[in-house]
């Protein structure tokens, strides 16, 4: 398996001869409206859609926030044969987005993609933050990979671990995101990401979505400190960098 980090929540995953891309964000730095507010992007992607190349599917955790699907990302979806996401995203965007509810699976080549829960804020805030999903990738002779999406709940991680653990690779969206909309974190803090990795008994951890946006309360330095005891199990990539996992 190979993972190449684009920036923010976006990475290219190659597994079992299948190429997948997470949460497409290819816009330049700037302020991006969301309702009557705006999210500020502080750095652009390491490369654009052309260099990302063709993919077999996009794993879209949710469509309602510009730090997970921006303008260039939306345009990119038109070139993709399949996008797996939430019911809400499928209703709002239409083709090629397909809803992948919790527990349902889709075969993409040799890879089975299964929808798993995600909770994008404290209990009781879904009406504010909207529907989000995570993914588990598996297949005969392939590593089991958990892609958390924007999840903050360790109870969700425990439920995923009970069904699929231990996992070979945990792709964890971190950064401890916060906005005035919600009283609490919207994504895992670095410390909770460490706890999540332990719950999943992950062989490798690849953090995503911990930098490049002003609403993150933690960043690369916090990830490095929190995962100090993980050694080579932590693959903290620089934008544009790849890692091979076996």
């Amino acid at each position: 398996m190979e993972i190449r980090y684009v920036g923010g929540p976006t990475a290219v995953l190659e597994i079992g001869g299948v190429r997948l891309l997470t949460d497409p964000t290819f816009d330049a730095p700037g302020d991006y409206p969301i309702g009557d507010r705006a999210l500020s992007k502080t750095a652009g992607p390491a490369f654009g859609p052309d260099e990302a190349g063709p993919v077999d599917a996009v794993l879209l955790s949710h469509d309602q926030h510009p730090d997970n699907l921006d303008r260039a990302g939306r345009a990119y979806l038109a070139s993709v044969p399949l996008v797996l996401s939430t019911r809400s995203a499928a209703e709002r965007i239409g083709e090629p987005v397909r809803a992948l509810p919790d527990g349902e699976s889709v075969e993409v080549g040799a890879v089975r993609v299964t929808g798993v829960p995600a909770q994008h804020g404290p209990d009781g805030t879904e009406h504010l933050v909207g529907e989000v999903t995570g993914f588990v990738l598996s297949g005969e002779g392939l590593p089991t990979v958990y892609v958390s999406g924007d999840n903050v709940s360790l109870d969700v991680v425990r439920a995923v671990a009970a069904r699929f653990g231990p996992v070979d690779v945990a792709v964890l969206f971190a950064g401890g995101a916060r906005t005035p909309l919600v009283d609490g974190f919207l994504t895992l803090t670095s410390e909770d990401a460490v706890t999540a990795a332990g719950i999943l008994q992950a062989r490798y951890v690849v953090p995503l979505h911990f930098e490049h946006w002003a609403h993150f309360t933690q960043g690369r330095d916090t990830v490095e400190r929190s995962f100090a005891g993980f050694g080579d199990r932590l693959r903290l990539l620089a934008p544009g960098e790849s890692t091979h996992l076996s």
Side-chain angles (χ1 to χ4, degrees):
M1 178 181 183
E2 180 180 2
I3 299 178
R4 188 180 185 197
Y5 178 41
V6 179
T10 312
V12 179
L13 283 58
E14 297 192 39
I15 176 173
V18 172
R19 301 185 84 247
L20 305 167
L21 186 134
T22 60
D23 286 6
T25 55
F26 294 110
D27 281 351
D31 290 341
Y32 292 90
I34 175 170
D36 58 357
R37 301 172 294 112
L39 297 180
S40 295
K41 188 174 188 179
T42 59
F47 53 90
D50 289 344
E51 188 173 340
V55 299
D56 298 287
V58 164
L59 307 180
L60 177 62
S61 68
H62 60 298
D63 71 306
Q64 65 267 29
H65 299 147
D67 59 323
N68 294 86
L69 182 67
D70 59 18
R71 292 191 291 257
R74 287 179 184 274
Y76 174 76
L77 296 186
S79 69
V80 175
L82 176 64
V83 180
L84 300 172
S85 191
T86 64
R87 286 191 179 94
S88 302
E91 291 170 359
R92 284 188 287 255
I93 299 174
E95 293 294 334
V97 182
R98 172 176 172 179
L100 188 64
D102 177 23
E104 293 192 12
S105 299
V106 171
E107 305 292 332
V108 183
V111 179
R112 179 181 303 108
V113 183
T114 303
V116 296
Q119 182 176 317
H120 195 7
D123 292 346
T125 60
E126 183 176 309
H127 67 291
L128 296 173
V129 298
E131 187 181 14
V132 183
T133 192
F135 307 91
V136 169
L137 315 178
S138 59
E140 186 174 354
L142 300 178
T144 298
V145 181
Y146 168 53
V147 181
S148 71
D150 275 3
N151 173 64
V152 74
S153 171
L154 291 175
D155 285 340
V156 164
V157 175
R158 291 184 184 96
V160 171
R163 288 162 59 187
F164 299 97
V167 305
D168 296 293
V169 182
V171 179
L172 300 177
F173 289 25
R178 297 196 74 155
T179 72
L181 181 68
V182 171
D183 183 16
F185 290 109
L186 301 174
T187 57
L188 295 171
T189 63
S190 299
E191 296 80 5
D192 280 349
V194 172
T195 302
I199 293 168
L200 295 160
Q201 301 178 59
R203 290 178 57 209
Y204 297 103
V205 178
V206 181
L208 294 181
H209 212 23
F210 57 87
E211 59 186 357
H212 301 164
W213 289 88
H215 61 290
F216 292 145
T217 64
Q218 300 182 351
R220 181 174 294 270
D221 56 343
T222 313
V223 173
E224 288 179 325
R225 288 197 302 270
S226 298
F227 281 91
F230 273 61
D232 189 52
R233 291 173 57 203
L234 174 68
R235 301 298 174 92
L236 184 59
L237 303 176
E241 184 181 6
S242 299
T243 186
H244 295 267
L245 304 170
S246 59

